[in-house]
Amino acid sequence: MSPAPELKATLTLPQTAFAMKANLPQNEPLRLARWAKLRLYEELRKAGRGRPVYLLHDGPPYANGPIHLGHALNKGLKDFVVKSKTMAGFDAPFVPGYDCHGLPIEIKVEEKLGHKKQEMPAAAVLDACRAYAQKYVDLQTEQFERIGCFGRWETPYKTMARGYEARTLEAFYSFLEKGFVYRGLKPVYWCIHDRTTLAEAEVEYENHTSPSIYVRYQLTSDPAAIAPALAGREVFTIIWTTTPWTLPASLAVAFHPDFEYVALEATPDPCCVPSGTDVPVYIVAASLAEQVATACKFASVKEIARFKGAVLDRVTFQHPFLERSIMGVLGTYVTADTGTGAVHTAPSHGADDFYTGQRYGLEPTCRVDAGGHIHVDPAAWHLAQPPAFDGMNVWKANPVIVAMLEERGALLGGAQLEHSYPHCWRCHHPVIFRATEQWFISLETPIKVGQNQEKTFRQLAIEEIDKVVWDPAWGKERITNMVATRPDWCISRQKIWDVPIAVFLCEACNQPLIDPALNRRIVDLFEREGMEVWHTAKAEALLPQAAKCSHCGGTAFRKETDILDVWFDAGVSWLAVCESDPDLSAPYKAFQEGTSANPPEVLYLEGGDQHRGWFHSSLLTSVALRGRAPYSHVATVGWTLDELGRAMSKSLGNGVDPVDIANRMGAEIVRLWVASVDFREDTVASENLMQRCAELYKKLRNTFRFLLGNLNGFDPARDRVPEAELLPLDRYMLARTRELTEKILAWYEAFEFHRVYQAVNEFAIVDLSAFYLDVLKDRMYTFAPTSQARRSAQTVLWQITEALVRLVAPILTFTADEIWEHLPAVEGRPISVHLALFPKPEEIFSADPAPLLEEWKQVFAVRDEALRVLEEARQAKIIGKGLEAELLITASGETLALLQRRADGLKEIINVSNVKVVEAKGTTVAEYDRTSTKAISYGDKLMMLDFAVTALPASGHKCARCWNFMPEVSSYGIWENVCTRCQSALHEMGIEPPKSVAAQPEAAK
Ligand SMILES: [Zn+2]
Ligand SMILES: [Zn+2]
Ligand SMILES: [Zn+2]
């Protein structure tokens, strides 16, 4: 009977209860339940007491659907920040938030309610909106928790919470009372379908077909004043427009002051050419004359005068169908690439038109109502019968107006034009520009700084941008440009699902009543009864008895019905949350005041589009109300794309659903993916890439399992070997671990999570699996478990595991905690890895690791050469496995000294039965130095080889237990061919030479 199986049983193989198969989809929810039971978030707060604070203020996702991969990336990154800051020794509370107000939810609720909405009281509609948002707050909370994000999920902040709504109103009142707010007419993007203003960011360009028409306006002022050649002639100018519906609002024609204009004698009909001075004359830009003549199908064209546009300032024309005088105005925005160089100007329907109108004193009254119906100006229509377009929707009015122009001989040319046109981002209907009465925050408001200096709001905001750390750095320029060029902030919307602009307007003069005491009362009411109170209470019940308009003395008031822009309420979250939440207010105040020695940092981390969104509105509100930016750091995240670089969408079916991945592969896989991408760039995700993360996860898990298995029987308190007594290889690995730890800590600090990911993978797969854990097998399996050499390795394996488990905990949140439970017990250890701190590099390895690592680089150069030579010898069938070989290394100089110092460990790291190092002398050098003319590169250093390696079949005999070829093997009881090293190990293990199979020792079982 062969004794081999029993002899094999004396090896100390790895043993751990840490499962090979993770079963993440089943086990992660169990761990979440365990954390909930431990009240881990509260435990983290307790542990953090007294530590410096780090604040990551959550930008609220919109609560109108389940989470998508962009959300998972966003919250995953935030979780990495919060966890890594916590483990770096900060108290990093995280209060997640939800953006609940605004158009998308109101539209969904409107769709659901249908006609019922008209009959419902406002409070009931608000209730329906609240319920809709709450449903998704609950769903998203569950999903964010499922992917392992820590935070105060039981009580997140919600922009629809009563307290939050009250703070939003309070912020608005502060703006109003400090003089930032004005009410004014302004052309704004307007969706006639949704009947609301749209912000610039809420408009998308899509194709649209419009009538493209040329219309003549007859000159009514003296033509000779323009050019003598025009004296006594019938003169027109020609305008080109694609929005005939704006013609009823036409008040002026704009010319470029510096362009050359020509007066053309032209006739449309060659067969009845009028003679001489009866031929009409048309004024158009010289550079566009030919184009216009073609479009208007002029038969003959003759230039009779040429002049600069400037001479057309304040000439007058007759409106083509209204009884209205049209003014010639100048504008440098007039272009010479399309049209006629004469631009029809309707101040109520265009931004340039509006500002030009202001310069010329033209009244921008808008006669298109919220539903897009045109109402004729009674001052310009004296017939009993209103015009056909009166009361019509703008799109229906277009052909009616074109027909009217044709009938009156004012239409010179017409076609259909398909062009890119602004559409509503929600309903995708084309939008119009419409001057409406809106509430604005003026960017030019003067702000007092210091004793007697004043800056504009805009200047101060730009200065504050400069004090913030923007990551990546281009963010600074981007938001600076936006603030520098943005128009005043239109903060009003004509919907219901947001905080009302709770202001009384004077019935007589339309001015707002500004009464701070009244404002405080309304804020209190909002706090107690919710913002519904503005819709339900009667004006008289809210107003003080003696309320009087400060402008006109009027005593009758009406409630404003507009609500605030959703960016306003998201933008005051620093006030409604950071300043007001008891968990955050003290450190946030310390940040704002900046007076403490170490004021906390405040980080905002969101998508790059938030330079125009949340970063922007938060900056403006905080600069206006507190004189400083609300954050010290801003980091931006790129878009999430598919492998072909396309945005993810339902219609393309290329989306990767993080919840689905969590349920199929594990949340840990989603988290690994988040860590794998450089979030500052656009990131790519696919099923494929998730599978790759899952593969990698398996490798990492196996490495940890192997580490844990080899720690079986190791009690750090009893068995730990002091650093000075460790074997050289083990010391080297500790130095490597210290180096890695230093790098990883710096990368966490810089939010370079993808570098952490790469470095951990490389360390686990290359340094550990392929090298250290592999070469240790001989020592770990065959040495006596309690031997100093084995304990030396275990000490280092334990320290590596203790360091690594902490370093990966922010990313591999579930698995690190599982590993933690399988580590050897240590007194006073926290109950979860998440309550532990990052390892301190100097506690891993006390000395500067650099010199040792440098020395080992040379050892590895020898090892690389040795492995190459061994492979050659294997190819040549000189040897078989590594242990069947021995090496002869000849060397000289420094390398010889080094190899002699490291001679003991060479056998182990090369994994052969024996290594002999001899000095290269005379001809022996030439004999072995096959590579003296070659150079090999190792690491970043190119070094000349001053050594040579020869592989030989190992001398001696193969030990049946450790498989090393040893000079001496003999019988150990019934076991044959056991080397002396193994025999003494067996002896140390208390295993006496067995006499027969029946007499197997206990330890061998
Ligand atoms: Zn719309
Ligand atoms: Zn008044
Ligand atoms: Zn042996």
Side-chain angles (χ1 to χ4, degrees), residues 959 962 979 982:
C959 168
C962 69
C979 73
C982 281

Side-chain angles (χ1 to χ4, degrees), residues 39 41-42 44-46 48-49 51-57 91-96 151-157 574 576-590 600:
R39 312 231 22 107
Y41 184 77
E42 284 84 344
L44 281 163
R45 299 287 67 76
K46 271 188 228 159
R49 243 173 246 162
R51 292 188 198 159
V53 174
Y54 187 91
L55 280 187
L56 194 182
H57 178 44
D91 182 21
F94 184 67
V95 178
R152 207 181 70 187
W153 292 109
E154 283 176 18
T155 48
Y157 80 81
W574 57 267
V577 181
C578 301
E579 275 189 6
S580 309
D581 191 300
D583 285 356
L584 307 176
S585 57
Y588 193 72
K589 201 137 268 171

Side-chain angles (χ1 to χ4, degrees), residues 74-321:
N74 176 298
K75 278 290 195 296
L77 291 168
K78 286 173 182 170
D79 196 48
F80 295 170
V81 172
V82 167
K83 284 184 175 136
S84 60
K85 288 293 174 188
T86 302
M87 296 186 81
F90 289 91
D91 182 21
F94 184 67
V95 178
Y98 292 100
D99 196 0
C100 309
H101 292 138
L103 199 52
I105 288 178
E106 185 169 346
I107 287 173
K108 282 282 168 210
V109 170
E110 268 174 9
E111 278 170 15
K112 253 173 58 185
L113 295 176
H115 291 304
K116 273 193 291 177
K117 194 199 168 196
Q118 311 305 325
E119 297 125 43
M120 285 167 72
V125 177
L126 294 180
D127 269 352
C129 290
R130 248 178 239 291
Y132 187 93
Q134 186 62 46
K135 180 177 140 194
Y136 288 107
V137 165
D138 293 341
L139 177 67
Q140 292 191 4
T141 292
E142 185 193 313
Q143 296 178 327
F144 285 135
E145 285 202 271
R146 174 64 189 88
I147 58 172
C149 296
F150 286 3
R152 207 181 70 187
W153 292 109
E154 283 176 18
T155 48
Y157 80 81
K158 294 181 281 186
T159 59
M160 66 174 179
R162 275 187 186 171
Y164 197 112
E165 289 174 347
R167 297 283 84 68
T168 302
L169 182 64
E170 191 172 63
F172 167 74
Y173 283 150
S174 299
F175 270 100
L176 186 68
E177 289 163 17
K178 287 171 185 238
F180 284 86
V181 178
Y182 69 92
R183 246 176 124 242
L185 267 183
K186 216 164 197 191
V188 286
Y189 283 114
W190 183 272
C191 176
I192 59 180
H193 182 261
D194 294 322
R195 292 178 175 246
T196 186
T197 315
L198 294 173
E200 202 102 2
E202 294 168 341
V203 162
E204 288 170 355
Y205 280 79
E206 292 171 26
N207 274 355
H208 182 68
T209 303
S210 304
S212 157
I213 56 168
Y214 291 84
V215 182
R216 69 182 196 178
Y217 281 33
Q218 182 162 17
L219 184 78
T220 52
S221 55
D222 178 15
I226 298 171
L230 301 183
R233 300 298 297 261
E234 198 183 15
V235 179
F236 300 84
T237 188
I238 305 172
I239 63 99
W240 171 73
T241 183
T242 56
T243 51
W245 64 267
T246 60
L247 289 175
S250 188
L251 296 183
V253 176
F255 301 93
H256 196 294
D258 305 327
F259 286 179
E260 288 275 324
Y261 284 82
V262 288
L264 306 173
E265 255 180 17
T267 169
D269 195 346
C271 60
C272 49
V273 179
S275 59
T277 53
D278 291 344
V279 179
V281 175
Y282 295 103
I283 295 173
V284 295
S287 60
L288 290 160
E290 221 181 293
Q291 220 175 296
V292 175
T294 309
C296 297
K297 302 192 179 69
F298 290 146
S300 65
V301 170
K302 188 177 143 205
E303 181 184 321
I304 59 165
R306 185 176 271 258
F307 39 85
K308 283 264 194 266
V311 304
L312 297 165
D313 193 21
R314 293 179 193 272
V315 300
T316 56
F317 299 94
Q318 175 58 44
H319 190 284
F321 52 83

Side-chain angles (χ1 to χ4, degrees), residues 777-830:
K777 282 177 184 162
D778 186 44
R779 208 181 336 153
M780 293 306 299
Y781 298 176
T782 70
F783 284 32
T786 56
S787 68
Q788 173 87 357
R790 195 168 176 281
R791 289 301 191 209
S792 167
Q794 277 189 314
T795 299
V796 171
L797 292 176
W798 175 69
Q799 281 185 267
I800 289 173
T801 317
E802 282 278 348
L804 267 190
V805 70
R806 289 165 157 88
L807 292 173
V808 301
I811 296 167
L812 292 175
T813 279
F814 296 92
T815 308
D817 207 43
E818 187 187 352
I819 294 163
W820 189 254
E821 287 164 2
H822 290 86
L823 273 164
V826 173
E827 193 154 317
R829 171 203 280 294

